[in-house]
Structures are given as C-alpha cells and as structure tokens.
Amino acid sequence: MQIRFPLLAVPVPLIVLRPLRVPMMGQVVHAGFPSPADDFIESMIDLNEVLIKNPTATFLWRVVGDCMVDVKIFPGDVVVVDRSRTPKHRSIVVAIIDGEATLKRLHRRAGRLFLHNENAKLPVFTVSEGVEVSIWGVVTATIRDLDK
Amino acid sequence: MNGQPLGLALVDGNSFYCSCERVFDGKLEKRPVIVLSNNDGCAVARTSEAKALGIRMGQPMFQILDLCRDNKVAVFASNYALYGDMSRRMNQIYERFSPDVEIYSIDESFIDVSKLALKDRTAWASDLRSTTRQLTGIPTCVGIGPTKTLAKLANKAAKKLPAGVLDLSNPAEQLRVMADFPIGDVWGIGQASQAKLLAQGIQYAGQLRDMDPKLARQIMTVVGERIVHELNGRPCIALETVAPQRKGCAVTRSFGQRVTQKVEMEQAVAGYATRLGEKLRRHGLATDHVTVFMHTSQFSDDEPQRNVSTTVDIPEATNDSLTLIKAARRAVDRLWQSGFRYSKAGIITQDLVTPPIPQRALFDTLDHEKAARVMAAMDEANRRWGRATVVPAATMGDPAKSQTFSTKFEMRSPRFTTRWEELPEC
C-alpha cells in the first residue's frame, strides 16, 4: 500500500491561542477512490506541544534588544516565556529592571543571583544599588522566520 | 453546581483591568493606574493608588483630567482582548484546584470547596492565590463562605487583609465580620434598598442578618428575603436573580455530553448569546463586544487538551440577541477546531453600558413586559425578513460615534497576548 504525501504543507497562520496543526499525512485527492491515508487523518504534529509545555503560563515576547545575540537571539525574534518554570542557574529570562523588560542570562554564584548579557560587544551588565529587579519568566524557546 | 454546596470560594482579580496592564508594563508598578470604559470614558477600574487620589468608580474622565496629569496617573482605554485572555488563563488555573468553577464575570469566579475540610480551606485559598499570581501575574483575593452572599462578603473583607484570604465558614467568624460590614457593600443591596434599610436603622450586615425575613420581603421584595437567608448561611440565591453589574456578566455552562461537532457548539453558544441578550434587556444594559471561550476537560489527562477564547467587537453597543448571536458565531468560527471533546463553553461581556438615549427612553417609560414584547416583535421581524430589518433607532449610524471610535483606540494598550503584531517587547 502506497501512502502519498502532499508535496507542500498548506500554510497555516500561526496564532498562539489556536494550536497549529501541520498535516503529517493528509488527504490526497483521488478521483473516485477513498484514500488509504484517510485513516491517518488524525495524525497531526502540533507545534504547541514542542514550544508550549504550560499554555496557561506561557506568553510570547518580541525581541527588540541585542543583548543576547551571542546565543543567537536576535532583534525581531519571538521568544516563548513560561512563568511556571523556576529560574535556575544559566536560565535565559525576561527580567524587569527598573520597570524595563529585558533579556538576560541568569547566573547563581555563592547563593547570589547575577544577570548577564550575551553580547561580547556590550559592556558588562551591572545593576546599580537600589534598582529593582524581578524575573518575569523563563525563556524556553525562540521562533524566527528564516525565509523573510 | 450540584445541590447546595456547603462551601463556596469567590476569587476575583484585584483592580483586575489595571492589574492586566501592569503585568506587561513594569513601569506601571508604582504608578496609579485607571482603565476607562470605552463608550463613555468613565473610570471602571482603579488601583489602590488611584483610589487614594479620590478617583471614584464610574467617574467621568473629563472631571479628573488635571488630577491625572498632576499625579502621573496612567490612563487606559479598555483592552477587552487582553482582559478576556487573562481571565481565561485564571479560570484554567482555578479548575486545577476544583472541577466546579462557575464564572460569574470577567474577573470573578465561584469555586465549590464543599469537599475541603474546614481546617484546610485557608491554606487552599492561599495556594490558589499564589499560583494565580505566579502563572499570570494577576493578584487576587479569595473569600469563602457557606453561601454566595457570604463568599462575596468574605471576599470584600479579604481585600483589606494582607493575606488576601478570608474564610467565613465558621459562624462565629461570620458574626464578627458582619458586625461592622456596611449594608451598601452586601451583594444585591442597591442604592434604593440601602436607603430603605438605613431608614429602618439598619446599617450593618449583622443587623440585616438578624432581620425578620418577612420584613425584609416587605421592604425589598423577595430579593431582600433571600439576602437575609443567605447571610444566615442558608443558600438560596441563584446567580440569575442578581442584576448584572456594570462591569459585566457571563453565561457559561458545562456540557452534559462532550461536544465534538461545530454545529453543536454553534447552537450552544447561540443559546448563551440569546440568554445574554435577555439578561441585558431585562436590566436595560448593552454591550459592544462578546468574549467566547471553550475548553476540554482538564480531568481527562489522556485526551488532547484545548482551552481558547476570543473577543469579537460589535460596532455599536447592543442588547439585541441576534447581533449578539452573530458575534458569538463569528467567535466560534475563529476558535473551532475538530478533534477535541469540549466540556464547557461560555460567553462573557465586560463594561456594560446603558443603551443610547432613544432606546433607554423606551425602556424607562414602558414596563419590562412591554419592552420585552417590543424586542420580541423586533426579533421576529428580523428573523423573518433578514437581520437588521428592524433595529432600534439608537443602533443606526450616529455621526458622533466615529469620533468616539477613534479616541477609543488611542489609549488602549497593545493586545499583548492575542496578536503577533502587538506582543510585548524585550
């Protein structure tokens, strides 16, 4: 039995609230005969399964800064941010520093937390005395269009 | 909810609309924030800092322009898409804590806690509260009581406590809190009832609780009698009997059988839209949008899960069931995806308005029954000859409206969670 795959996946607009379903084995158009692939119509790859583990606590942010370019997070990228994750040593996080949202690498040394840029061209990042810092959420993935 | 629950929690978002704005803008954390109704520019949500400045609920923006400028108050237009999505996330969290969640409005839900031991209820509520804060960023308060009225009362009192939680399961505690709880803050007591009660020397919930139910009925009809019973811990208020507040109302149901077909979902949601239209007409209110949500059961781990919501704008505020149905259908179109077994759906509106003048005059001068007949005749005509054959004069083009429409969106924050083009930036 030969199962034919569609040549091109149908482009689907990606809306975060709507699970994106990419057909794996789609219905192939036959004249007159039912497709043997019809039985597999339920087999779908859901990108949300990979990108979003906890939908309730997951938000998308658009990257505008260049502080993480050395780890290949570029302006224009979308980052997936999960608020249910506990930030750990070396987590990439959305940090709120003096009210500004920014991407940073979290480091834990001798029981203290530090935030770093991942961009050798930028000066070493330091937080001045008295400036309020909080962690908004942990970055779990990036999304980038490679064919813009 | 089955039978008469012995314990109910009411959880609500603190200054909910303002808190949603703060989640995505760290600079708002220390500033007073208010959110305006889109139709008439009145403050419908205020942070504690804004309240401290003397900004009143429902106060029109033009009265507080200088105050807001001088105190750097952050002023926003309502962002229904954002609030609706945050509300959906919160209710999803609540359902992890108890399967019995009844959405009362965009930011208030009743949760059945009857199965929880009395001693565990406060800890349970604290856990619910901190989980919601962690996952969504929204601060909440939780009130627990044997009836909806007492749960509401406990919630209101919890707002003043640092812990944000108050359990009034215990009758002695109920008495203590009700002793100085103003009757005007009791759920279902409007200004008219409040004036009548004050004339009887009744100032506090504790006094109202001890009132003869028959006397309460004389003064405030059957609604008042029910409130007295509820304050005594005897549940008898169905949600439907309480007027929807200005801030909105909801019609939601769990399905008896899982819904797997789009046509079933459309029928169900159209039914809720009809019910919503009836509710709004009965109370002379209107809305300019509907938020529709649907989800699968989180208690069926082996099944694919889906939990979605969307908000559809209606060009002019309305309580016409057909318009609401059309908007609700559009929402179902956007949300529907096969392959899931949906267990619950609902429709929510926020920021209700009194319909524009011609229509209000109609409802003011006629009694409810007559008004309903007019609406029914209109509905029938619209059904027979196509939508918008007969419309209330107020919903026809209004030249002044285009101006309000453009100002509407100037102060609205981005739809951070539902639009690719409007994601928060970092």
Side-chain angles (χ1 to χ4, degrees):
Chain A
M1 182 169 64
Q2 191 189 10
I3 297 171
R4 291 165 55 194
F5 291 86
L7 280 178
L8 284 171
V10 182
V12 181
L14 188 108
I15 297 168
V16 69
L17 294 177
R18 226 188 261 219
L20 174 74
R21 307 207 124 214
V22 182
M24 227 164 81
M25 296 177 215
Q27 189 173 14
V28 183
V29 180
H30 284 272
F33 295 99
S35 162
D38 278 356
D39 290 346
F40 298 91
I41 203 78
E42 288 299 305
S43 313
M44 302 278 226
I45 284 180
D46 184 348
L47 278 184
N48 283 320
E49 283 172 15
V50 184
L51 294 175
I52 299 177
K53 299 291 184 223
N54 189 343
T56 309
T58 299
F59 298 84
L60 301 182
W61 286 70
R62 177 79 61 183
V63 179
V64 290
D66 59 357
C67 34
M68 302 306 277
V69 294
D70 293 351
V71 289
K72 301 194 166 43
I73 302 177
F74 300 108
D77 289 359
V78 169
V79 286
V80 179
V81 182
D82 187 344
R83 290 180 60 99
S84 72
R85 305 278 179 109
T86 308
K88 9 179 234 289
H89 179 58
R90 293 199 54 77
S91 287
I92 293 174
V93 297
V94 172
I96 309 295
I97 299 164
D98 204 16
E100 289 283 353
T102 167
L103 285 177
K104 291 284 174 278
R105 173 83 79 180
L106 184 74
H107 281 260
R108 187 189 291 272
R109 272 197 302 271
R112 293 190 60 195
L113 296 176
F114 299 87
L115 296 171
H116 294 291
N117 289 321
E118 290 280 6
N119 181 346
K121 296 202 178 89
L122 289 179
V124 172
F125 177 78
T126 51
V127 181
S128 322
E129 198 69 33
V131 168
E132 275 196 36
V133 177
S134 62
I135 305 294
W136 197 91
V138 174
V139 175
T140 56
T142 61
I143 306 171
R144 182 181 321 134
D145 186 345
L146 295 177
D147 190 29
K148 245 192 281 210
Chain B
M1 230 162 261
N2 312 320
Q4 305 287 17
L6 299 169
L8 278 169
L10 178 71
V11 51
D12 76 337
N14 300 345
S15 314
F16 178 61
Y17 296 174
C18 301
S19 295
C20 290
E21 302 292 349
R22 277 181 168 168
V23 169
F24 296 97
D25 186 348
K27 290 204 195 66
L28 299 175
E29 207 48 58
K30 298 240 168 69
R31 283 174 66 187
V33 181
I34 63 170
V35 173
L36 304 178
S37 58
N38 282 348
N39 291 282
D40 50 4
C42 295
V44 288
R46 307 155 298 153
T47 60
S48 52
E49 299 85 354
K51 289 174 194 169
L53 288 172
I55 299 173
R56 295 190 312 276
M57 190 67 181
Q59 193 165 15
M61 185 61 199
F62 70 82
Q63 289 181 2
I64 48 174
L65 282 172
D66 292 343
L67 185 72
C68 289
R69 193 193 53 222
D70 297 345
N71 294 282
K72 296 198 167 61
V73 177
V75 180
F76 291 93
S78 299
N79 185 343
Y80 302 130
L82 176 65
Y83 312 149
D85 183 58
M86 296 304 277
S87 165
R88 175 188 65 83
R89 291 167 187 263
M90 291 161 77
N91 280 296
Q92 202 173 3
I93 295 166
Y94 304 157
E95 294 202 358
R96 291 184 200 167
F97 281 75
S98 165
D100 243 334
V101 176
E102 190 173 351
I103 299 170
Y104 175 57
S105 75
I106 187 78
D107 70 325
E108 295 167 289
S109 294
F110 285 103
I111 307 174
D112 188 354
V113 295
S114 301
K115 292 196 183 86
L116 276 179
L118 287 185
K119 63 176 174 51
D120 297 332
R121 289 182 179 179
T122 301
W124 173 91
S126 299
D127 190 16
L128 174 85
R129 200 172 169 260
S130 60
T131 305
T132 306
R133 180 71 190 256
Q134 171 70 44
L135 300 195
T136 65
I138 304 288
T140 55
C141 280
V142 186
I144 299 174
T147 64
K148 282 175 176 163
T149 304
L150 282 169
K152 275 285 257 195
L153 191 147
N155 174 281
K156 184 98 186 168
K159 298 266 180 229
K160 298 204 178 85
L161 305 175
V165 171
L166 181 61
D167 178 12
L168 291 187
S169 297
N170 176 335
E173 269 293 283
Q174 292 165 18
L175 286 184
R176 188 182 64 76
V177 173
M178 279 195 274
D180 59 355
F181 191 92
I183 47 160
D185 287 343
V186 174
W187 194 34
I189 301 285
Q191 286 193 346
S193 300
Q194 189 184 356
K196 287 179 199 159
L197 288 170
L198 288 174
Q200 300 270 330
I202 293 185
Q203 278 181 278
Y204 301 111
Q207 295 169 287
L208 183 58
R209 173 188 182 274
D210 295 335
M211 198 175 186
D212 179 358
K214 285 188 197 119
L215 180 60
R217 187 180 195 132
Q218 273 172 25
I219 300 174
M220 300 177 291
T221 75
V222 68
V223 175
E225 184 183 349
R226 286 185 186 144
I227 291 171
V228 171
H229 285 306
E230 285 254 324
L231 288 176
N232 280 283
R234 295 188 291 271
C236 59
I237 287 192
L239 276 181
E240 309 289 320
T241 61
V242 176
Q245 311 144 300
R246 189 198 157 83
K247 69 200 278 197
C249 64
V251 181
T252 73
R253 302 273 187 279
S254 292
F255 299 127
Q257 278 185 331
R258 300 300 175 77
V259 165
T260 56
Q261 301 297 318
K262 188 178 179 194
V263 57
E264 293 174 83
M265 182 64 83
E266 279 178 338
Q267 280 167 3
V269 173
Y272 305 154
T274 309
R275 185 79 197 84
L276 179 72
E278 287 164 15
K279 263 191 179 182
L280 294 177
R281 288 201 292 277
R282 175 147 33 95
H283 298 284
L285 295 166
T287 182
D288 65 355
H289 68 281
V290 293
T291 298
V292 171
F293 72 88
M294 58 182 77
H295 62 75
T296 52
S297 168
Q298 293 189 77
F299 297 92
S300 312
D301 287 342
D302 47 333
E303 287 180 19
Q305 296 287 309
R306 184 168 157 80
N307 179 322
V308 286
S309 75
T310 189
T311 301
V312 174
D313 289 319
I314 301 168
E316 310 259 356
T318 183
N319 54 25
D320 167 32
S321 291
L322 292 187
T323 309
L324 296 172
I325 290 172
K326 196 179 163 207
R329 282 240 163 97
R330 185 171 305 163
V332 173
D333 266 343
R334 270 191 214 163
L335 296 175
W336 180 259
Q337 208 167 71
S338 308
F340 296 92
R341 289 157 38 86
Y342 295 92
S343 63
K344 190 172 184 178
I347 184 165
I348 308 174
T349 69
Q350 311 157 54
D351 186 18
L352 300 178
V353 296
T354 313
I357 288 99
Q359 204 176 347
R360 183 169 53 202
L362 178 75
F363 284 110
D364 278 349
T365 50
L366 299 177
D367 62 33
H368 285 317
E369 203 184 322
K370 277 186 192 162
R373 281 210 299 271
V374 172
M375 193 66 222
M378 196 172 85
D379 287 356
E380 181 55 29
N382 286 338
R383 255 194 302 276
R384 240 182 260 176
W385 297 300
R387 219 192 71 74
T389 304
V390 183
V391 295
T395 64
M396 284 158 64
D398 173 1
K401 207 73 186 181
S402 53
Q403 200 195 339
T404 27
F405 200 72
S406 59
T407 48
K408 212 178 198 177
F409 288 92
E410 262 168 44
M411 294 189 302
R412 197 203 62 215
S413 55
R415 287 162 288 190
F416 295 113
T417 59
T418 52
R419 295 284 172 132
W420 282 109
E421 317 79 59
E422 300 180 20
L423 297 180
E425 295 180 341
C426 61

